[in-house]
């Protein structure tokens, strides 16, 4: 114990504290001034580290992206954790896209789940079970993420030789299983398929079936949109934002940019679909003027349509670059192609015989599948899919005979099969369609034999719009809900028949020049004439004369009016008509005429009187005059004696 005398006084304690704190401050100032800041930080870290409490926990971070490449582990962990949701979970993420049947429940980013380690393999299995096939567009620089591919095509629904189907499935299975084999023999783990055959034979459907079977995503690349080979390399990269922003500089030094900025090709690109346009058809295309095509579509599709319209126009103007096969070869064999996991390339073309043979060798196109016209086996698959007929039907024999002597595509027959729910009605429709098709084909073949080579080639080439075709029924077309697509053109005959096949243009409506019924509708709208009017008979005659023009000029398009049933109008007809027409009716006719399609462009010498006549008469007179001039010319060629008689 300290005696009272020995105890320090309050004042001495205070003075000791004051001198101690002065010394500390002095030392601190000296430390700050003498020891450099960096050394101070390091000393502090050492001290902190020494005093930090030890933990048995370790934190693993699974980020969504690894640089530019997506992190596969993130998806696996996300799926795995969603199986660990309990009633105690406080915050969950709920998603459901339009085409998904079930809602997806995921752990929200802020949520914490405690779980003991169960192995990544289990998570991987879960991921594969839940995998929704995605579709990515490689041709557009604006698209950022893939969308769920909800294509209903499977190997069961494909109308194809069952043996061939089995071969394809076995081939896919064996390819997937043989990772070690490929490694052992020093071969890149990739496989190329070439699907070739006429339009509408199921190439796109087969790709969707393959992707659904393997649960592989599809990366869609339209070769026509690729400007150079480095474009292709870059286009397989997963990060669309990076591509969009670097697009300009990539054009200047694409390879360098590729190797420096995007060293990792995507590991997710597994089924790559490449549509190879036909070089020959493309070069022909430039000779033909492109036919303007106007789109009408529901709002949500408009932007997409516009995008595709410009693509289609591009296609029509730009010929396929001459070194296209070199680019493709680079693309298939280039170094990037060996990076990543298993990959399947699927190439489609309508004309295998026009492709560079270098492209076709095994290693590039390992499997070549000819998608051909419909066989009876294929028809039975379609009848099962569409009509639920799984056994025999009495119509089958007749249909078999017709299919055997006809080149008919599954797409055409599929269209017939959708026309009614009544099995008998539909099968009768199929029979009629096959008969009609046979007759049509015979006629076309006869017609083509008479023509010389150039015309035949030009006819075959037509206007091909591969971008548009892809839009109409490429894998993208199955996304979204019900839709109606309407295409309008002034020259149907210039369109590629591929565009016109059922499944693309299911219904074709010929908007023709007016009939008297059409005129009556206009008269009712503009003039409130709902009954007959004395002038109608005469107008009818005149309108029918214009109709004759169309029959003559659009021979082969089919019309109910025969060519020889109407007389050639005399010029007096129009003058008389002008005298009789009341003013209001003249205006109504003018309005109706201005909404009509433009008249065919046959040069017509201007009549000196025409400027004094009301505009309507000029229109009608010109139309009639054109008929007369043209027909007289034709007549003159065949029978000079008939000149000037004015009959057809
Ligand atoms: N083999 C088939 N089995 C079942 N349905 C088919 C088959 N072929 C075509 N179809 C039907 O026709 C439609 C068009 O077929 P698809 O787009 O697959 O033909 P394609 O050969 O890719 O045509 P294109 O060469 O013109 O692109 C499909 O949506 C499908 O309804």
């Amino acid at each position: 114990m300290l005696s009272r005398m020995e105890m320090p006084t309050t004042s001495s304690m205070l003075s000791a504290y004051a001198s101690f704190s002065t010394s500390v401050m002095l030392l601190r100032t000296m430390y700050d001034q003498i020891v450099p800041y960096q050394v101070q930080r390091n000393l502090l870290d050492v001290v902190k580290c020494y005093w930090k409490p030890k933990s048995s926990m370790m934190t693993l971070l699974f980020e969504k992206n690894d640089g530019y490449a997506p992190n596969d582990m993130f998806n696996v962990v996300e799926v795995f954790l969603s199986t660990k949701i309990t009633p105690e979970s406080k915050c969950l993420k709920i998603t459901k896209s339009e085409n998904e049947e079930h809602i997806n429940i995921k752990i929200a980013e802020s949520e914490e789940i405690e779980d003991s380690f169960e192995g990544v393999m289990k998570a991987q299995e879960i991921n594969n079970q839940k995998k929704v096939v995605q579709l990515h567009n490689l041709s557009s620089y604006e698209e950022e993420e893939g969308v769920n591919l909800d294509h209903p095509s499977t190997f069961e629904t494909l109308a194809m030789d069952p043996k061939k189907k089995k071969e394809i499935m076995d081939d896919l299975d064996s390819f997937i299983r043989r990772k070690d084999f490929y490694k052992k023999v020093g071969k890149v783990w990739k496989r190329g398929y070439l699907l070739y055959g006429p339009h509408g034979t199921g190439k796109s459907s087969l790709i969707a079936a393959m992707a659904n079977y393997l649960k592989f995503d599809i990366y869609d690349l339209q070769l026509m949109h690729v400007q150079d080979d480095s474009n292709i390399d870059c286009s397989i990269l997963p990060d669309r934002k990076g591509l969009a922003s670097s697009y300009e500089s990539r054009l200047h030094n694409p390879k360098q940019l590729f190797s420096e900025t995007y060293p990792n090709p995507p590991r997710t690109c597994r089924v790559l679909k490449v549509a190879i346009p036909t070089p020959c058809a493309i070069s022909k295309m430039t000779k033909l003027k492109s036919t303007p095509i106007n789109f009408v579509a529901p709002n949500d599709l408009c932007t997409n349509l516009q995008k595709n319209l410009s693509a289609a126009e591009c296609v029509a103007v730009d010929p396929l670059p001459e070194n296209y096969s070199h680019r493709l070869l680079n693309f298939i064999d280039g170094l990037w192609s060996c990076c990543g996991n298993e990959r399947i390339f699927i190439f489609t073309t309508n004309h295998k015989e026009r492709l560079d043979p270098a492209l076709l060798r095994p290693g590039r196109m390992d499997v070549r599948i000819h998608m051909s016209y419909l066989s009876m086996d294929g028809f039975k698959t379609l009848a099962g899919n569409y009509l639920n007929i799984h056994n025999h039907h009495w119509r089958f024999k007749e249909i078999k005979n017709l299919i055997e002597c006809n080149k008919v595509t599954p797409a055409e027959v599929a269209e017939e099969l959708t026309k009614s729910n009544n099995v008998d009605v539909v099968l009768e429709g199929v029979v009629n369609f096959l008969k009609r098709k046979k007759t049509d084909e015979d006629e076309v073949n006869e017609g083509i034999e008479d023509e010389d080579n150039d015309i035949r080639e030009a006819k075959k080439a037509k206007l091909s719009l591969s971008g548009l075709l892809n839009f109409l029924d490429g894998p993208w077309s199955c996304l979204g809900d019900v839709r109606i697509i309407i295409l309008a053109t002034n020259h149907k005959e210039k369109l590629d028949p591929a565009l016109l096949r059922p499944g693309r243009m299911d219904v074709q409506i010929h908007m023709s020049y007016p009939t008297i019924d059409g005129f009556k509708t206009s008269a009712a709208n503009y003039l409130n004439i709902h009954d007959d009017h004395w002038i109608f008979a005469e107008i009818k005659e005149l309108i029918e004369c214009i109709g004759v023009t169309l029959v003559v000029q659009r021979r082969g398009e089919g019309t109910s009016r025969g060519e020889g049933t109407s007389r050639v109008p005399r010029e007096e007809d129009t003058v008389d008509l002008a005298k009789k027409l009341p003013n209001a009716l003249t205006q109504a006719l003018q309005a109706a005429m201005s909404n009509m399609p433009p008249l065919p462009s046959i040069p017509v010498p201007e009549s000196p009187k025409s400027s004094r006549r009301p505009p309507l008469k000029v229109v009608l007179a010109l139309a009639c005059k054109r008929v007369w001039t043209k027909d007289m010319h034709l007549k003159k060629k065949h029978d000079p004696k008939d000149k000037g008689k004015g009959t057809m």
Side-chain angles (χ1 to χ4, degrees):
M1 282 276 292
L2 287 174
S3 70
R4 205 187 167 123
M5 287 299 290
E6 288 168 332
M7 277 206 31
T9 61
T10 314
S11 59
S12 65
M13 276 172 71
L14 279 175
S15 73
Y17 174 75
S19 68
F20 174 75
S21 51
T22 315
S23 314
V24 168
M25 278 179 67
L26 192 68
L27 277 175
R28 174 134 195 201
T29 317
M30 280 168 63
Y31 173 80
D32 279 349
Q33 282 174 358
I34 297 167
V35 183
Y37 177 71
Q38 207 52 47
V39 178
Q40 290 180 28
R41 289 290 307 264
N42 290 345
L43 280 173
L44 201 66
D45 284 348
V46 171
V47 174
K48 266 189 190 166
C49 177
Y50 184 75
W51 287 104
K52 198 174 163 189
K54 294 268 183 291
S55 164
S56 59
M57 303 286 284
M58 186 183 185
T59 306
L60 302 176
L61 269 184
F62 298 91
E63 287 183 335
K64 201 163 187 177
N65 292 317
D66 173 18
Y68 286 102
N71 182 4
D72 282 355
M73 285 303 294
F74 178 85
N75 301 331
V76 173
V77 171
E78 192 177 44
V79 174
F80 174 69
L81 287 181
S82 64
T83 64
K84 298 286 163 195
I85 292 171
T86 60
E88 281 77 50
S89 305
K90 289 192 193 106
C91 186
L92 300 174
K93 229 167 40 179
I94 313 290
T95 61
K96 180 186 174 303
S97 67
E98 202 175 8
N99 296 320
E100 279 176 312
E101 282 180 18
H102 308 288
I103 54 169
N104 300 306
I105 305 176
K106 294 176 185 170
I107 302 287
E109 270 147 40
S110 56
E111 184 68 353
E112 283 184 12
I113 285 197
E114 272 189 29
D115 184 49
S116 57
F117 181 68
E118 285 192 26
V120 171
M121 282 315 290
K122 185 176 173 191
Q124 184 73 54
E125 277 160 33
I126 298 165
N127 199 22
N128 280 343
Q129 274 166 23
K130 287 194 72 176
K131 167 101 178 116
V132 181
V133 176
Q134 291 231 311
L135 175 66
H136 305 258
N137 185 7
L138 294 181
S139 309
S140 154
Y141 290 94
E142 284 147 40
E143 208 64 49
E144 286 186 5
E145 284 192 358
V147 285
N148 289 352
L149 175 81
D150 201 22
H151 203 296
S153 178
T154 62
F155 277 107
E156 284 77 51
T157 61
L158 262 187
M160 212 178 163
D161 178 12
K163 246 171 61 192
K164 218 160 150 186
K165 269 197 250 185
K166 172 124 193 356
E167 274 170 25
I168 300 172
M169 285 192 274
D170 289 348
D171 189 80
L172 290 172
D173 287 337
S174 107
F175 168 69
I176 299 299
R177 263 188 277 113
R178 303 179 85 192
K179 180 176 184 176
D180 293 340
F181 169 80
Y182 276 82
K183 202 169 171 189
K184 197 177 93 192
V185 298
K187 223 172 144 166
V188 176
W189 195 19
K190 63 180 173 133
R191 198 146 178 86
Y193 290 79
L194 174 69
L195 314 185
Y196 63 97
H199 292 286
T201 47
K203 295 179 289 301
S204 305
S205 309
L206 177 57
I207 293 174
M210 288 163 88
N212 283 332
Y213 181 67
L214 296 175
K215 296 261 188 243
F216 275 17
D217 288 350
I218 297 183
Y219 287 73
D220 189 18
L221 174 69
Q222 290 292 308
L223 204 60
M224 289 302 296
H225 302 165
V226 175
Q227 288 160 16
D228 59 37
D229 49 352
S230 46
N231 240 356
I232 304 181
D233 286 354
C234 289
S235 65
I236 53 124
L237 290 160
D239 192 84
R240 319 300 306 173
K241 263 190 204 150
L243 280 181
S245 58
S246 62
Y247 184 63
E248 280 305 312
S249 49
R250 198 163 46 73
L251 286 181
H252 296 303
N253 199 350
K255 281 282 179 203
Q256 192 189 357
L257 198 89
F258 174 62
S259 52
E260 284 177 1
T261 318
Y262 307 110
N264 304 317
R267 299 178 58 225
T268 48
C269 165
R270 308 229 277 192
V271 172
L272 186 83
K273 176 192 174 235
V274 187
I276 312 174
T278 313
C280 176
I282 304 291
S283 59
K284 281 278 182 318
M285 227 153 61
T286 47
K287 289 187 193 160
L288 292 165
K289 278 255 179 273
S290 78
T291 303
I293 293 185
N294 308 314
F295 290 95
V296 184
N299 276 348
D300 61 331
L301 270 180
C302 272
T303 338
N304 231 336
L305 280 167
Q306 275 159 11
K307 237 167 48 185
N308 277 279
L309 173 62
S310 49
E313 279 173 347
C314 242
V315 168
V317 179
D318 295 340
L320 187 68
E322 272 177 11
N323 57 349
Y324 88 99
S325 63
H326 162 77
R327 287 179 189 180
L328 255 185
L329 294 182
N330 260 359
F331 171 56
I332 305 169
D333 293 346
L335 270 185
W336 73 266
S337 72
C338 61
C339 310
N341 272 331
E342 69 274 39
R343 254 168 241 261
I344 291 178
F345 300 77
I346 306 181
F347 299 84
T348 62
T349 183
N350 298 116
H351 298 278
K352 176 184 150 229
E353 69 286 357
R354 295 188 199 163
L355 294 182
D356 186 337
L359 272 175
L360 300 175
R361 75 145 171 77
R364 289 180 182 136
M365 310 279 161
D366 303 291
V367 184
R368 281 165 256 169
I369 302 171
H370 182 206
M371 303 298 287
S372 189
Y373 292 104
L374 192 66
S375 65
M376 192 55 199
D377 278 339
F379 177 77
K380 283 182 182 164
T381 310
L382 291 182
N385 294 346
Y386 287 78
L387 305 175
N388 246 338
I389 305 177
H390 298 286
N391 299 315
H392 193 68
H393 188 279
W394 66 271
R395 281 274 189 194
F396 278 9
K397 194 164 175 235
E398 191 181 8
I399 290 176
K400 181 169 183 277
N401 290 338
L402 283 165
I403 282 181
E404 276 169 4
C405 62
N406 238 325
K407 281 183 175 171
V408 61
T409 63
E412 286 170 317
V413 172
E415 175 55 25
E416 289 300 314
L417 294 175
T418 47
K419 288 193 172 162
S420 162
N421 288 332
N422 184 322
V423 173
D424 292 328
V425 171
V426 170
L427 289 182
E428 191 180 342
V430 172
V431 169
N432 291 338
F433 165 75
L434 291 173
K435 284 182 181 163
R436 228 174 26 242
K437 178 140 175 110
K438 173 132 184 55
T439 328
D440 287 355
E441 245 164 42
D442 291 347
E443 275 173 16
V444 169
N445 287 341
E446 277 167 25
I448 286 187
E449 268 161 30
D450 296 341
E451 291 168 347
D452 66 27
N453 246 355
D454 275 359
I455 300 175
R456 200 181 313 164
E457 278 301 304
K459 263 199 170 174
K460 273 192 213 156
K462 299 281 179 171
L463 180 67
S464 177
L465 300 166
S466 67
L468 187 56
L469 296 189
N470 192 49
F471 168 75
L472 288 173
D473 66 353
W476 295 93
S477 66
C478 62
L479 307 171
D481 216 333
V482 56
R483 74 196 69 174
I484 293 176
I485 296 173
I486 304 175
L487 281 104
T489 180
N490 302 114
H491 299 283
K492 178 188 148 206
E493 70 286 357
K494 282 194 195 165
L495 293 182
D496 191 326
L499 195 62
L500 302 176
R501 74 139 167 78
R504 287 182 180 132
M505 302 291 115
D506 302 298
V507 182
Q508 293 178 26
I509 302 170
H510 181 202
M511 304 297 287
S512 188
Y513 288 81
T515 61
I516 187 63
D517 287 335
F519 173 76
K520 282 181 182 169
T521 309
S522 297
N525 292 345
Y526 286 88
L527 302 174
N528 243 342
I529 305 177
H530 295 283
D531 304 323
D532 226 10
H533 188 282
W534 61 269
I535 198 83
F536 282 1
E538 206 146 357
I539 290 175
K540 178 171 182 279
E541 249 184 64
L542 210 57
I543 283 178
E544 275 177 0
C545 291
I546 302 170
V548 173
T549 333
L550 300 176
V551 173
V552 173
Q553 292 180 353
R554 300 187 168 200
R555 197 163 21 213
E557 283 201 1
T559 170
S560 54
R561 281 190 290 269
E563 282 185 25
T565 52
S566 302
R567 66 189 171 84
V568 173
R570 293 161 292 134
E571 202 155 335
E572 301 89 75
D573 283 345
T574 54
V575 180
D576 291 349
L577 180 67
K579 279 185 200 148
K580 288 173 194 167
L581 280 177
N583 247 358
L585 190 56
T586 309
Q587 280 164 14
L589 271 170
Q590 263 177 268
M593 294 298 277
S594 66
N595 285 334
M596 288 175 201
L599 290 163
S601 55
I602 302 167
V604 178
E606 210 173 301
S607 153
K609 289 180 198 166
S610 63
S611 55
R612 277 183 273 121
R613 294 175 189 162
L616 166 70
K617 283 180 293 169
V618 177
V619 174
L620 288 176
L622 287 183
C624 298
K625 180 107 179 170
R626 284 175 194 186
V627 180
W628 190 79
T629 318
K630 188 169 167 65
D631 289 337
M632 286 316 295
H633 174 70
L634 289 173
K635 265 289 176 230
K636 204 167 145 191
K637 257 173 108 180
H638 290 105
D639 186 1
K641 279 184 246 160
D642 284 347
K643 186 182 169 190
K645 280 189 185 168
T647 51
M648 291 186 66

